[in-house]
Amino acid sequence: MTIQPTPEPAINPARTALLLFDLLNGHVKDADRAIKPRYIPVVAAASDLLSAVREKNIMVAYAQANHRADNATTAHTLRDTNNRLSRLDLNAPPELKPVVAGGSWEANTIDELAPNREDYLIPKYRWSAFYQTYLELALRTRGIDTLILAGGSTDVGIASTAYAARDLDFNLVVASDACTSNETDNHDQFMQRIFPRMSRVRTVSEILALLA
């Protein structure tokens, strides 16, 4: 007699939310307002995921960087490099121009993944979507215990949010093909060796099967 493997637990729509992280014009699109090449498959996968969760009436939240134009609310900690691993002068004054400034076109979610009126917009000032935002409150109020994560960057905002969600005892599902990083090796390292310790790592097609 062949023993059939136990099926993976399904994702319960009533207790699940999708968080789209920093899929903003300033990150995703170039100066001509076209989607950057590395984001094209990510946006396509995220769009499929978004459509599916909307059909299931799953809560959708958007984490959006909301820095002041003078960069006064951005972290100015001493560190060896910037996010692209270029060395920094530790004696140099802080950078006064944010990557995206709140209220600008750059800070808006791309039209291809635009929020609906009922969605939750989570302005944030640090990497984690939980740090000093109302995200946890919104999830707890709706009885959410599972969070699907998608967006960028894998090794920065997604990672920081995943660590925070894990410490708050949320179940996590990371949409591997709907996340991206400037450094492919960093993305792969997190998906293969770090995120599996705190979440389920699945492609969008696998997530859709779990929702079905």
Side-chain angles (χ1 to χ4, degrees), residues 99-142:
V99 176
V100 293
S104 66
W105 174 82
E106 288 80 6
N108 291 333
T109 297
I110 60 173
D111 291 339
E112 291 82 353
L113 300 169
N116 290 345
R117 175 178 291 184
E118 69 271 15
D119 296 334
Y120 291 72
L121 304 183
I122 313 293
K124 64 181 185 65
Y125 299 88
R126 293 294 182 269
W127 288 354
S128 171
F130 284 98
Y131 184 73
Q132 295 191 3
T133 73
Y134 73 93
L135 177 58
E136 182 186 3
L137 174 69
L139 298 174
R140 301 291 188 200
T141 301
R142 291 186 54 144

Side-chain angles (χ1 to χ4, degrees), residues 54-88:
R54 290 207 190 283
E55 290 178 3
K56 297 285 187 180
N57 294 315
I58 288 174
M59 172 184 169
V60 179
Y62 291 78
Q64 301 171 304
N66 192 43
H67 305 295
R68 281 176 56 97
D70 62 4
N71 227 8
T73 54
T74 303
H76 298 297
T77 55
L78 294 177
R79 54 203 171 110
D80 287 334
T81 75
N82 63 17
N83 283 355
R84 301 284 67 81
L85 298 178
S86 296
R87 297 291 300 187
L88 294 175

Side-chain angles (χ1 to χ4, degrees), residues 161-178:
T161 300
Y163 280 113
R166 187 265 180 197
D167 288 343
L168 292 168
D169 295 338
F170 285 101
N171 297 312
L172 280 172
V173 182
V174 178
S176 58
D177 52 346

